[in-house]
Amino acid sequence: MPYDRASSSEQATRSYYDTADVDAFYDAVWGGEDIHTGIYTHDQESIATASRRTVEQAADKVSGLLTPDSTVLDLGSGYGGATRYLAERFGCRVVALNLSESQNARHRATNAERGLDTLIEVVTGSFHDIPFPDRRFDVVWSQEAFCHSGDRTRLLSEAVRVLKPEGVLVFTDLMAAEDVPERTLRPAVSRLGVDALATPNLYRQTLAGLGLSRTDFDDRSGEILTHYERLTAETSRREDELRRIISPAYIESVLANLPLWVDAAHRGHLRWGIFTGRRA
């Protein structure tokens, strides 16, 4: 039986996010809403505030498409911070597709508490096989989820398939610089359950081949260093507190892994920003 890279990466992603340690870490350090790279106004800004700013600026890029009559698909929706923001800001309907049932349960409960469960549908499933018909959504959205994919061509094909004509794909992702060998970043990315990150050119070329026009990459790679320095500092500062709610082994693994990301950012090996592309 041939090796299925998509299935393998999904198993690794599910086993990572469906753990109490990971859940507690993201809740305590990231704030439990938005778990992705932030856009910072200063190097001591809270991670949660900077992460929410990323949501706001990504939403600005598709604001002309979103009304109460619009529908958004969020791929890899995590705890649902972005879905709630979009539903509250635009009154649009949002479908949140995510592998982790533990995250999805929390997502549904928070939506109900905030009175947003009529606007947001949370679906457990894979972005490699999106369980919706062609041309269903006005916007397909994602934040730092594509880096977990073992088959990004298949993933992007699915994302474009469910876009309406003139619909827009908007996403952020952790990427490698174009000239960095895969082995260079492998120690850092190993915890993601993948062998390598995509590059901006890989995304540009793949999206163009799938028929997206006016593809744009708003390069914010400078934010990566600030973000991982903030994560490292917060985790180190609160280490004793975190060890009371998270296993010591997990905290030790995080404190060993985060400096690898800081070093990669210092060396210019990483890229990050907001991609947009419109379906013709």
Side-chain angles (χ1 to χ4, degrees):
M1 183 175 180
Y3 176 63
D4 187 338
R5 294 175 63 88
S7 178
S8 177
S9 65
E10 287 171 10
Q11 290 172 9
T13 301
R14 190 181 291 109
S15 64
Y16 177 73
Y17 283 106
D18 275 344
T19 65
D21 282 340
V22 172
D23 194 58
F25 179 75
Y26 282 123
D27 184 55
V29 178
W30 243 291
E33 278 278 311
D34 305 308
I35 50 175
H36 50 75
T37 304
I39 294 173
Y40 292 79
T41 57
H42 57 86
D43 59 10
Q44 294 302 312
E45 187 167 37
S46 79
I47 295 163
T49 299
S51 297
R52 176 44 53 101
R53 186 174 295 112
T54 301
V55 176
E56 294 166 353
Q57 295 196 14
D60 288 345
K61 294 180 181 296
V62 291
S63 60
L65 285 174
L66 296 181
T67 70
D69 295 324
S70 305
T71 305
V72 178
L73 174 63
D74 184 355
L75 299 176
S77 51
Y79 298 122
T83 66
R84 287 185 287 274
Y85 177 84
L86 294 169
E88 288 178 326
R89 175 175 171 182
F90 300 105
C92 57
R93 297 188 63 82
V94 186
V95 176
L97 183 67
N98 195 55
L99 274 177
S100 170
E101 185 51 52
S102 65
Q103 288 184 340
N104 292 346
R106 177 172 173 167
H107 186 170
R108 293 184 189 100
T110 306
N111 294 345
E113 289 170 5
R114 299 189 190 178
L116 293 169
D117 47 341
T118 59
L119 288 178
I120 300 170
E121 178 186 4
V122 182
V123 178
T124 301
S126 166
F127 53 31
H128 294 112
D129 295 289
I130 296 174
F132 294 99
D134 296 357
R135 303 186 176 197
R136 165 76 183 275
F137 298 97
D138 299 282
V139 170
V140 174
W141 169 289
S142 187
Q143 292 185 275
E144 256 93 315
F146 294 177
C147 56
H148 291 286
S149 172
D151 189 343
R152 296 185 181 99
T153 299
R154 178 173 164 184
L155 156 63
L156 293 174
S157 297
E158 280 289 276
V160 173
R161 177 182 66 78
V162 298
L163 266 180
K164 292 179 180 178
E166 293 298 309
V168 171
L169 170 64
V170 55
F171 67 94
T172 65
D173 202 28
L174 287 166
M175 293 166 280
E178 302 298 337
D179 57 350
V180 176
E182 290 183 2
R183 65 180 182 277
T184 301
L185 291 174
R186 195 160 291 148
V189 306
S190 60
R191 72 180 178 88
L192 302 179
V194 296
D195 294 326
L197 300 176
T199 65
N201 278 348
L202 184 148
Y203 280 140
R204 289 190 188 97
Q205 293 166 7
T206 304
L207 293 173
L210 292 169
L212 289 198
S213 62
R214 286 171 278 172
T215 299
D216 176 69
F217 176 46
D218 183 358
D219 191 340
R220 304 292 188 90
S221 298
E223 301 292 346
I224 301 173
L225 178 58
T226 303
H227 184 70
Y228 279 97
E229 286 182 332
R230 289 290 297 115
L231 283 175
T232 304
E234 278 295 292
T235 305
S236 299
R237 181 179 68 83
R238 298 170 58 190
E239 182 177 354
D240 291 342
E241 168 201 343
L242 294 172
R243 284 175 180 270
R244 292 193 289 270
I245 58 174
I246 303 169
S247 73
Y250 182 80
I251 294 300
E252 288 162 12
S253 71
V254 168
L255 288 172
N257 182 258
L258 288 174
L260 300 178
W261 290 90
V262 172
D263 181 66
H266 267 298
R267 294 174 183 274
H269 291 168
L270 296 169
R271 295 289 179 267
W272 180 81
I274 307 171
F275 261 101
T276 53
R278 185 179 294 271
R279 181 169 184 175

